[in-house]
Amino acid sequence: MAGNTFGTLFRLTTFGESHGPAIGGVIDGMPAGVKVELDYIQYELDRRKPGQSAITTSRKESDRLIILSGVLDQQTLGTPIGFMLHNEDQQSEDYDQLKDVYRPGHADEVWEKKFGIRDHRGGGRSSARETAARVAGGAFAKVLLAKSGVSVNAYVHSVGKIEVPSSYDELDLAATEESMVRCPHSPTSERMIAAIESARDEGDSLGGTIICVCKGLPAGLGEPVFDKLHAVLAHAVLSINATQGFELLHGFDSTKTKGSENNLRNTGVSGGISTGDDLVFRVAFKPVSTIRKKQMARTTSGENVELEAAGRHDPCVLPRAVPIVEAMAALVLADMQLLHKR
Amino acid sequence: MAGNTFGTLFRLTTFGESHGPAIGGVIDGMPAGVKVELDYIQYELDRRKPGQSAITTSRKESDRLIILSGVLDQQTLGTPIGFMLHNEDQQSEDYDQLKDVYRPGHADEVWEKKFGIRDHRGGGRSSARETAARVAGGAFAKVLLAKSGVSVNAYVHSVGKIEVPSSYDELDLAATEESMVRCPHSPTSERMIAAIESARDEGDSLGGTIICVCKGLPAGLGEPVFDKLHAVLAHAVLSINATQGFELLHGFDSTKTKGSENNLRNTGVSGGISTGDDLVFRVAFKPVSTIRKKQMARTTSGENVELEAAGRHDPCVLPRAVPIVEAMAALVLADMQLLHKR
Amino acid sequence: MAGNTFGTLFRLTTFGESHGPAIGGVIDGMPAGVKVELDYIQYELDRRKPGQSAITTSRKESDRLIILSGVLDQQTLGTPIGFMLHNEDQQSEDYDQLKDVYRPGHADEVWEKKFGIRDHRGGGRSSARETAARVAGGAFAKVLLAKSGVSVNAYVHSVGKIEVPSSYDELDLAATEESMVRCPHSPTSERMIAAIESARDEGDSLGGTIICVCKGLPAGLGEPVFDKLHAVLAHAVLSINATQGFELLHGFDSTKTKGSENNLRNTGVSGGISTGDDLVFRVAFKPVSTIRKKQMARTTSGENVELEAAGRHDPCVLPRAVPIVEAMAALVLADMQLLHKR
Amino acid sequence: MAGNTFGTLFRLTTFGESHGPAIGGVIDGMPAGVKVELDYIQYELDRRKPGQSAITTSRKESDRLIILSGVLDQQTLGTPIGFMLHNEDQQSEDYDQLKDVYRPGHADEVWEKKFGIRDHRGGGRSSARETAARVAGGAFAKVLLAKSGVSVNAYVHSVGKIEVPSSYDELDLAATEESMVRCPHSPTSERMIAAIESARDEGDSLGGTIICVCKGLPAGLGEPVFDKLHAVLAHAVLSINATQGFELLHGFDSTKTKGSENNLRNTGVSGGISTGDDLVFRVAFKPVSTIRKKQMARTTSGENVELEAAGRHDPCVLPRAVPIVEAMAALVLADMQLLHKR
């Protein structure tokens, strides 16, 4: 298995299965002498953790960050930052029914084909639990970016067919955290919550999109040919479970305009390099595959069976995905900043 | 500058400015003993080259491939394949007006901010000419993939608001090359051509989307965490000039469905790993920024001026982008195949 | 800080300061389904740990391996193997005298110049304690190599001016562990021990050389141009603290022969590629810089002072360096094996 | 095949077989706006080229540098620098006798085992001709280093058993180029030349060592754990054909001293980080394997035959290896400088 490291100069390497002893990671490339409030890192982890609200899974993980190295007296040493979070509340028995069944929409079957072995307890390494390590890494990246005035804020733009009717710059992004669904447009937020509750009650799930707004970027980030800024951002966020698409602001819509119109627009990136204006992108998440409703599934011996998932699952991942999208964007921007500085 | 190399085990490194002596690249990782018809590599380059039809730029580049190493008697040696294409027909004087003006929608201004120096003659390294080296590299990747039965075929799905009304699997992809606009759906193709001609006559430009179909993939390609197959594909194709978005088949649409419906769909990738089914994705290209119509531009000294671009430009890049999208997808798949094999 | 990851396909990333909470690492690239006796990994760590014999430091670290991920029921999952060892017995007060003094021969001063911050307690990240993570990583590599019949065995060839009078192939390498100094030639071993004890009693230290013998290699390992097998081996072992030189068997001596003689010799590597014969190399370690004897040192404010090191130090690192050299060699060979397999 | 790229931020990728159309490379990471006299790059290539003096091979290659990109009006653009040198004077017929014979001491046999295919004409990719691309890349690195006052000068320290009796700092390194054998100690130079002529007349060959002196380095270069400065330097220079060993100044000798003595010495690197003092290292080259004298060789069908090499070969590679050692060291130092700057 490769692909457990992300970045060139600001690098995050992660490890951990959902039902093993712990998950964690190593951040390499964080400069020395940066003040880091560990409470802030924990705060970001808490934004992602399960059980945080009525519309997320009722699983409980304290997701308590343990720093193993690289930080002394809340200051970075310039050395790799090792960290871990113990896995808790593992109701592995919930997964017993899955030992011989591949969950529809999940990586169970391909994982077994690829590795010849599969940890059936909650997806193992393919579980979304893996993203906690990304959030921790991204939080350090955010601390670094904040030093040069760069901020990264995401919010839920749509859930199912319900979407925010305003443009990102008409919203008060500070209001995002006040919404259980992390949508800063209050009336839309309420409609989204109702829709998620209704899907949950049906034993079904919903997808949606997240918009991420990066402000304060200097002009010049991004490496012009293969590592264009938006290309690497897409790589980063599409590596999050359940993602299906990425576009810059106006992305797919811009294909329907003429050059004379579209040239007036601004997406914060030109030729793959940041322009210094807001950089905004949108990410598509499919509805969660694990649903309580009965569905057909394939067994490891190739038979079709009806599956009614036990376990405690999110009816909609969007609210908890907001900090993950921010984390992945922050990792890219911190890396690009270091690459640009040379 | 970084970012001129793509891939881990199957790697392409490229070089070249549009108006320097040559562009080219080095392919490292092509296995030894693979039969390569150089005419086929040239054929792929010809699909990309300017001046190939009535709806592309009238610039002429013969784009004659010169192999410098790595291939002997049409067989790979296992050593790096160096190649180059001379730059020809450089009407650099067309660009004289651009010495002190930044073209709207182009990377001119940010490039100068990033590097402190800019080759104003046709964009230099930021020119789309750079993609010829990708097509050459991708053609070698296709040869390798073909040995294990993998094919990569793209086509123009939409131009402006005109789009193919059928699903990819209802089309005869072999018909793509018969269409000047590389759309295999004949009536749509004709409407697209008319629209492009009309935009060209107005001095304007059009965008659109390309669908890419990868068939014959084994199950298991893709590295599960940060290098999920669709994440790396997005990175690859969004590194092409003018791209604005990427989605897996049903990508943004899937966000509007419920889990119980969406689980029945198939996008060829699960948990970031290929399933063995067709893998299909769509890429958004904005309308070409360079247009003949007058538009406001900024000068290097910060004034606003009217700009009426001279030079010979494509009114729509989609037809010529088809082989580039295929090339980038092929580079990813070849790399993932080698990574998977170990 | 970069450089905390080693390898391309079999990769070890390490973290940890000597006096922080823990040291550890992540192994990425270990194939799935490999049986690993964790007792064996612990055994290798025990070979490196301080306090193991009368001629090593009296510091005590239990160096108890904690596996965090990637192994289930003593079998690898193909996912990254996270591991850690708690730091114990940290007599940080021993280092109080070093807060304002740079130890001669140590990285204290350059480290502070590089990072602007320094963990003075035992060297922090520059401490040899960091090598425990290498030994753990290398032990996994050895397990993988053993599956294809490759073994890596090092031994102490010389301590100061005392050296083994026999060639590596006349020795019984299985006897290495029976010797406190890890020299398989019994009479030489005794002389070395006496010399180390005498240096220790004087408050001084000794250097020496280690020979490493790799057997069972297939022909073909090594990448011919920049990553020649012996070049990467040199990189690997010279990244161990206190190393000063590397040579293939007969290395420096071969420069004094003629081609007609030297062509008859065999070093197990030709053109940077393994030949299938034994690959043997030798590494030079300088005498430990930290000595009890008084020496002149520079203070952080630039004055010269007399320093008499407190703390518990090895009078000769060679015996404990044997498993570290093996570990680094094993990491290289495992990586080269995976690279070669494609 | 991997391993045709060297470096992290200052990267050289090379291509080319000795008897193919050309060899060359791509330098990625050279900053923009650096003035480069191309005559200087050519001068460095001329120092390496065959046929330059009475004691090198009589083969003639003009080794005329062709810059393909990245430099405009003798100034770098910040984009990748593509370059090539045509192969000339290929007396391929000299190699006809080698089609079915593996040359002793050469990579012929392992190469064929590794790749299943071999270009027998002069070694193909394993030929020392490949090093011309390193010299070109290294010359650009030297230009960059010179801007911050760093110089890299190597010289021949020993040929066979004849060695310079003085320390590097007692020599006038500017005199190196005046000596045909590139030894700045005039009486030793004469003895070396006589020895090489005598070996050549016998149809035999000689080895030796090169000392490389890096001056003007700032404190702080080198990445402390796996990428210690001397470890990466060893990797770099041991990737040159025919190398057998590497040591820092006093390297193997230091193993025979006590800590109290050795701590007084200075090798310019501490804990893998440059101290700001001269950094000096020595590299061992075995005698050239190709000799005119009859020797036993193995045929591709496994028989032993007598081989009397035709072709035009250096009786001693040391003089021509001097610029190659400098080039590899410069590549490392330029890369480390960029890594350190962030």
Side-chain angles (χ1 to χ4, degrees):
Chain A
M1 183 171 179
N4 295 291
T5 296
F6 191 81
T8 299
L9 291 180
F10 192 100
R11 297 158 71 87
L12 174 66
T13 299
T14 68
F15 62 84
E17 281 74 53
S18 58
H19 288 67
I23 62 158
V26 184
I27 300 159
D28 199 2
M30 183 77 178
V34 179
K35 194 174 162 51
V36 180
E37 311 270 6
L38 295 181
D39 285 353
Y40 168 68
I41 313 294
Q42 186 63 53
Y43 163 76
E44 291 287 348
L45 284 164
D46 291 347
R47 292 175 73 207
R48 193 216 71 97
K49 81 175 175 189
Q52 66 182 266
S53 83
I55 56 169
T56 66
T57 167
S58 59
R59 255 177 299 129
K60 288 277 179 203
E61 297 264 1
S62 64
D63 275 0
R64 185 89 214 122
L65 177 73
I66 300 169
I67 295 287
L68 300 171
S69 66
V71 183
L72 183 65
D73 302 335
Q74 311 241 36
Q75 218 180 6
T76 58
L77 289 167
T79 57
I81 300 168
F83 64 88
M84 59 180 267
L85 299 87
H86 286 294
N87 290 325
E88 303 162 356
D89 188 27
Q90 303 163 357
Q91 301 193 6
S92 297
E93 60 277 19
D94 281 356
Y95 296 100
D96 282 355
Q97 66 168 140
L98 297 174
K99 205 165 172 187
D100 306 315
V101 184
Y102 302 127
R103 293 168 299 168
H106 276 274
D108 296 351
E109 187 168 0
V110 285
W111 191 277
E112 196 159 310
K113 280 187 185 161
K114 185 172 182 71
F115 295 103
I117 191 171
R118 171 174 67 103
D119 183 348
H120 67 279
R121 304 163 311 165
R125 183 79 181 135
S126 74
S127 161
R129 175 142 188 77
E130 162 264 318
T131 57
R134 302 178 183 222
V135 170
F140 279 93
K142 279 184 175 183
V143 168
L144 183 61
L145 290 167
K147 284 187 63 179
S148 45
V150 177
S151 68
V152 180
N153 287 98
Y155 64 90
V156 174
H157 171 71
S158 67
V159 165
K161 288 166 189 158
I162 303 164
E163 76 178 43
V164 173
S166 320
S167 168
Y168 83 93
D169 47 5
E170 298 160 356
L171 298 170
D172 173 15
L173 299 186
T176 302
E177 290 306 299
E178 292 159 23
S179 154
M180 196 156 64
V181 74
R182 290 205 167 84
C183 171
H185 188 263
S186 176
T188 309
S189 169
E190 280 169 42
R191 292 174 59 213
M192 287 172 171
I193 293 168
I196 294 172
E197 286 171 340
S198 151
R200 183 193 56 201
D201 295 348
E202 289 169 38
D204 216 325
S205 64
L206 288 176
T209 65
I210 285 175
I211 280 181
C212 184
V213 182
C214 310
K215 284 174 175 288
L217 290 176
L221 301 196
E223 296 299 318
V225 176
F226 293 119
D227 292 342
K228 291 192 166 74
L229 186 52
H230 61 292
V232 183
L233 283 168
H235 185 158
V237 298
L238 292 178
S239 74
I240 303 170
N241 279 356
T243 52
Q244 301 290 303
F246 169 97
E247 61 174 358
L248 287 171
L249 187 64
H250 316 303
F252 278 91
D253 278 352
S254 75
T255 67
K256 295 178 186 160
T257 63
K258 291 195 172 169
S260 52
E261 300 163 59
N262 194 60
N263 281 354
L264 307 173
R265 280 171 166 172
N266 184 348
T267 56
V269 56
S270 180
I273 307 174
S274 65
T275 60
D277 302 297
D278 294 353
L279 192 165
V280 185
F281 62 84
R282 194 163 73 107
V283 196
F285 288 82
K286 67 175 184 180
V288 183
S289 299
T290 306
I291 53 178
R292 247 188 22 255
K293 240 183 190 168
K294 262 191 201 141
Q295 45 183 346
M296 295 309 297
R298 198 139 50 146
T299 66
T300 52
S301 50
E303 283 157 51
N304 292 316
V305 293
E306 274 201 332
L307 179 70
E308 206 169 330
R312 296 154 299 166
H313 302 281
D314 289 87
C316 178
V317 295
L318 277 285
R320 289 177 58 209
V322 164
I324 309 171
V325 168
E326 291 176 2
M328 293 311 298
L331 288 171
V332 171
L333 297 176
D335 196 28
M336 288 294 177
Q337 199 175 66
L338 293 179
L339 278 167
H340 182 57
K341 267 191 191 161
R342 313 171 266 147
Chain B
M1 183 172 179
N4 295 291
T5 296
F6 192 81
T8 299
L9 291 181
F10 192 99
R11 297 159 71 87
L12 175 65
T13 299
T14 67
F15 63 82
E17 282 74 53
S18 57
H19 288 67
I23 62 159
V26 183
I27 301 158
D28 199 2
M30 183 78 179
V34 178
K35 193 173 164 51
V36 179
E37 311 270 4
L38 295 182
D39 285 353
Y40 168 69
I41 312 295
Q42 186 64 54
Y43 163 78
E44 290 287 349
L45 284 165
D46 291 347
R47 291 175 74 205
R48 193 215 72 98
K49 81 174 174 189
Q52 64 182 266
S53 81
I55 56 169
T56 65
T57 168
S58 59
R59 257 178 298 131
K60 289 277 178 202
E61 298 262 4
S62 65
D63 276 0
R64 186 90 216 124
L65 177 73
I66 300 170
I67 295 286
L68 300 171
S69 67
V71 183
L72 183 65
D73 303 335
Q74 312 242 34
Q75 218 180 6
T76 59
L77 289 168
T79 57
I81 300 168
F83 64 88
M84 60 181 267
L85 298 86
H86 287 294
N87 290 325
E88 303 162 357
D89 189 27
Q90 302 163 358
Q91 302 192 3
S92 297
E93 60 276 21
D94 282 356
Y95 296 100
D96 282 354
Q97 64 166 144
L98 297 174
K99 204 164 176 187
D100 305 315
V101 184
Y102 301 128
R103 293 168 298 169
H106 275 274
D108 296 350
E109 188 168 0
V110 286
W111 191 276
E112 197 160 309
K113 281 187 184 160
K114 187 173 181 70
F115 294 103
I117 192 172
R118 169 175 67 102
D119 185 347
H120 67 278
R121 303 163 311 167
R125 183 77 179 136
S126 74
S127 161
R129 173 139 190 79
E130 162 265 318
T131 56
R134 303 179 182 220
V135 170
F140 279 93
K142 279 185 175 182
V143 168
L144 183 61
L145 290 167
K147 284 187 62 180
S148 45
V150 177
S151 68
V152 179
N153 288 96
Y155 64 89
V156 175
H157 172 70
S158 67
V159 165
K161 289 167 188 158
I162 305 163
E163 75 176 45
V164 173
S166 320
S167 167
Y168 83 92
D169 48 5
E170 297 159 359
L171 299 170
D172 173 15
L173 300 185
T176 302
E177 289 307 300
E178 291 159 23
S179 153
M180 196 156 61
V181 74
R182 289 205 168 86
C183 171
H185 188 263
S186 176
T188 309
S189 168
E190 280 168 40
R191 292 175 57 214
M192 288 171 171
I193 293 168
I196 293 171
E197 285 170 340
S198 150
R200 183 193 57 200
D201 295 347
E202 289 169 37
D204 216 325
S205 65
L206 287 175
T209 64
I210 285 176
I211 281 181
C212 183
V213 183
C214 310
K215 284 175 176 287
L217 290 175
L221 300 196
E223 296 300 317
V225 177
F226 294 118
D227 292 341
K228 291 193 166 74
L229 187 52
H230 61 292
V232 183
L233 283 168
H235 185 159
V237 297
L238 292 179
S239 74
I240 302 171
N241 279 356
T243 51
Q244 301 289 304
F246 170 96
E247 61 173 0
L248 287 171
L249 188 64
H250 315 303
F252 278 90
D253 278 351
S254 75
T255 68
K256 296 177 185 159
T257 63
K258 292 194 170 168
S260 53
E261 300 163 57
N262 194 59
N263 282 353
L264 306 173
R265 281 173 168 171
N266 184 349
T267 57
V269 56
S270 180
I273 306 174
S274 65
T275 59
D277 301 298
D278 294 353
L279 191 165
V280 185
F281 63 84
R282 193 162 73 108
V283 196
F285 288 82
K286 67 175 183 182
V288 183
S289 298
T290 306
I291 53 177
R292 245 186 27 251
K293 241 183 193 170
K294 263 190 202 141
Q295 45 183 346
M296 294 309 297
R298 198 139 51 143
T299 65
T300 54
S301 51
E303 284 157 52
N304 291 315
V305 294
E306 276 203 329
L307 179 71
E308 207 170 329
R312 296 154 298 166
H313 303 281
D314 290 85
C316 178
V317 295
L318 277 286
R320 289 176 57 208
V322 164
I324 309 172
V325 168
E326 291 176 3
M328 292 311 299
L331 287 171
V332 171
L333 298 175
D335 196 28
M336 289 294 179
Q337 199 176 64
L338 292 179
L339 278 167
H340 182 58
K341 265 191 191 163
R342 13 168 213 138
Chain C
M1 184 172 178
N4 295 291
T5 297
F6 192 81
T8 299
L9 291 180
F10 192 99
R11 296 159 72 86
L12 174 66
T13 300
T14 68
F15 63 84
E17 281 74 52
S18 57
H19 288 66
I23 62 159
V26 184
I27 301 158
D28 199 3
M30 183 77 177
V34 179
K35 193 172 166 52
V36 179
E37 311 271 4
L38 295 182
D39 285 354
Y40 168 69
I41 312 294
Q42 186 64 56
Y43 163 77
E44 290 286 348
L45 283 164
D46 292 347
R47 292 175 72 206
R48 191 215 72 98
K49 81 173 174 189
Q52 64 182 267
S53 82
I55 55 168
T56 66
T57 167
S58 59
R59 256 177 299 130
K60 287 277 178 203
E61 298 263 4
S62 65
D63 276 359
R64 185 90 215 121
L65 177 74
I66 300 170
I67 294 285
L68 301 170
S69 66
V71 183
L72 184 65
D73 303 333
Q74 311 239 37
Q75 217 180 7
T76 59
L77 289 167
T79 58
I81 300 168
F83 64 87
M84 59 181 268
L85 298 87
H86 287 293
N87 290 326
E88 303 162 357
D89 188 27
Q90 302 162 357
Q91 301 192 5
S92 297
E93 58 276 22
D94 281 356
Y95 295 101
D96 282 355
Q97 65 169 140
L98 296 174
K99 204 165 175 187
D100 305 314
V101 184
Y102 302 127
R103 294 168 296 169
H106 276 274
D108 296 351
E109 187 168 1
V110 286
W111 191 276
E112 197 160 308
K113 281 188 185 161
K114 186 173 182 72
F115 294 104
I117 193 171
R118 169 174 69 103
D119 185 347
H120 67 278
R121 302 164 311 166
R125 182 78 179 136
S126 73
S127 161
R129 173 139 188 79
E130 161 265 319
T131 56
R134 303 178 183 221
V135 170
F140 279 93
K142 279 185 176 182
V143 169
L144 183 61
L145 290 167
K147 284 187 61 179
S148 45
V150 177
S151 67
V152 179
N153 288 96
Y155 65 89
V156 174
H157 171 71
S158 66
V159 165
K161 289 168 188 158
I162 304 163
E163 75 177 46
V164 173
S166 320
S167 167
Y168 84 93
D169 47 5
E170 297 160 359
L171 299 169
D172 173 15
L173 300 186
T176 302
E177 290 307 299
E178 291 159 23
S179 154
M180 195 157 62
V181 75
R182 290 206 167 85
C183 171
H185 188 262
S186 177
T188 309
S189 169
E190 280 168 42
R191 292 175 59 215
M192 288 172 172
I193 292 167
I196 293 172
E197 285 170 340
S198 151
R200 183 192 57 201
D201 296 346
E202 291 168 36
D204 216 325
S205 64
L206 287 176
T209 64
I210 286 176
I211 281 181
C212 184
V213 182
C214 310
K215 284 175 176 287
L217 290 175
L221 301 196
E223 296 299 318
V225 178
F226 294 118
D227 293 341
K228 291 193 165 75
L229 186 52
H230 61 292
V232 183
L233 283 167
H235 184 159
V237 298
L238 291 179
S239 74
I240 302 171
N241 279 356
T243 51
Q244 302 289 305
F246 169 97
E247 62 173 359
L248 287 172
L249 187 64
H250 315 303
F252 279 90
D253 279 351
S254 75
T255 69
K256 297 177 186 161
T257 63
K258 292 196 171 167
S260 53
E261 301 163 58
N262 194 59
N263 281 352
L264 306 174
R265 280 172 166 173
N266 184 350
T267 58
V269 56
S270 180
I273 308 173
S274 65
T275 59
D277 301 299
D278 293 353
L279 191 163
V280 185
F281 62 84
R282 193 162 75 107
V283 195
F285 288 82
K286 66 176 183 180
V288 183
S289 299
T290 306
I291 53 177
R292 244 186 28 253
K293 242 185 192 167
K294 262 190 203 142
Q295 45 183 347
M296 294 310 295
R298 196 136 54 141
T299 66
T300 53
S301 49
E303 284 158 52
N304 292 315
V305 294
E306 275 203 329
L307 179 71
E308 206 170 330
R312 297 155 297 167
H313 302 281
D314 290 87
C316 178
V317 296
L318 277 286
R320 289 177 57 209
V322 164
I324 309 171
V325 168
E326 290 176 3
M328 292 312 298
L331 287 171
V332 171
L333 297 176
D335 196 27
M336 288 295 178
Q337 198 176 65
L338 292 179
L339 278 167
H340 181 58
K341 264 189 191 165
R342 316 170 263 146
Chain D
M1 183 173 180
N4 295 290
T5 297
F6 191 81
T8 299
L9 291 180
F10 192 99
R11 296 158 72 88
L12 174 66
T13 300
T14 68
F15 63 83
E17 281 75 52
S18 58
H19 288 68
I23 62 158
V26 184
I27 300 158
D28 200 2
M30 182 78 177
V34 179
K35 194 174 163 50
V36 180
E37 312 269 6
L38 296 182
D39 285 353
Y40 168 68
I41 312 295
Q42 185 65 53
Y43 163 77
E44 290 286 351
L45 284 165
D46 291 348
R47 290 174 74 206
R48 193 214 71 97
K49 81 175 174 188
Q52 64 182 266
S53 82
I55 56 169
T56 66
T57 166
S58 60
R59 257 178 297 131
K60 287 276 179 203
E61 297 263 2
S62 64
D63 274 1
R64 185 89 215 125
L65 177 74
I66 300 170
I67 295 286
L68 301 170
S69 67
V71 183
L72 184 63
D73 302 335
Q74 310 241 35
Q75 217 179 6
T76 59
L77 289 167
T79 57
I81 300 168
F83 64 87
M84 59 181 268
L85 299 87
H86 287 293
N87 290 326
E88 303 162 356
D89 188 28
Q90 302 162 358
Q91 302 193 5
S92 296
E93 60 276 21
D94 280 357
Y95 295 102
D96 282 355
Q97 66 169 140
L98 297 174
K99 205 166 174 187
D100 306 314
V101 185
Y102 302 127
R103 292 168 298 168
H106 276 274
D108 296 351
E109 187 167 0
V110 285
W111 190 276
E112 196 160 310
K113 279 187 186 160
K114 186 172 182 71
F115 295 102
I117 191 170
R118 171 174 67 103
D119 184 348
H120 67 279
R121 302 163 312 166
R125 182 79 181 136
S126 74
S127 160
R129 174 141 188 77
E130 163 264 318
T131 56
R134 303 177 182 222
V135 170
F140 279 93
K142 279 184 174 183
V143 168
L144 183 61
L145 290 167
K147 284 187 63 179
S148 45
V150 177
S151 68
V152 180
N153 287 97
Y155 64 89
V156 174
H157 171 70
S158 67
V159 165
K161 288 166 189 161
I162 304 163
E163 76 179 43
V164 172
S166 321
S167 168
Y168 83 93
D169 47 6
E170 297 160 358
L171 298 171
D172 172 16
L173 300 186
T176 302
E177 289 307 299
E178 291 159 23
S179 153
M180 195 156 64
V181 73
R182 291 206 166 84
C183 171
H185 189 264
S186 177
T188 309
S189 169
E190 280 168 43
R191 291 175 58 215
M192 287 172 171
I193 293 167
I196 294 172
E197 286 171 341
S198 149
R200 183 193 57 200
D201 295 347
E202 289 169 36
D204 216 325
S205 64
L206 288 175
T209 65
I210 285 176
I211 280 182
C212 184
V213 182
C214 310
K215 284 175 175 287
L217 289 176
L221 301 196
E223 296 300 317
V225 178
F226 294 119
D227 292 342
K228 291 192 167 74
L229 187 51
H230 61 291
V232 183
L233 282 168
H235 184 158
V237 297
L238 291 179
S239 74
I240 302 171
N241 278 357
T243 53
Q244 301 290 303
F246 169 97
E247 61 173 358
L248 286 171
L249 188 64
H250 316 302
F252 277 90
D253 278 351
S254 75
T255 67
K256 295 178 186 159
T257 64
K258 290 194 172 171
S260 53
E261 302 163 58
N262 194 59
N263 281 353
L264 307 172
R265 280 171 166 173
N266 184 349
T267 58
V269 56
S270 179
I273 307 175
S274 65
T275 60
D277 302 298
D278 294 352
L279 192 165
V280 185
F281 63 84
R282 193 162 73 109
V283 196
F285 288 82
K286 66 176 185 181
V288 184
S289 299
T290 306
I291 52 177
R292 248 188 21 254
K293 242 184 192 168
K294 262 190 204 145
Q295 45 184 345
M296 294 310 295
R298 197 140 49 148
T299 65
T300 53
S301 51
E303 284 157 51
N304 291 316
V305 293
E306 276 201 331
L307 178 70
E308 206 170 329
R312 295 154 299 166
H313 302 281
D314 288 86
C316 178
V317 295
L318 277 286
R320 288 177 58 208
V322 164
I324 309 172
V325 168
E326 291 176 2
M328 292 311 299
L331 288 170
V332 171
L333 297 176
D335 197 27
M336 288 295 178
Q337 198 176 64
L338 292 179
L339 278 167
H340 182 57
K341 266 192 190 160
R342 11 167 215 138

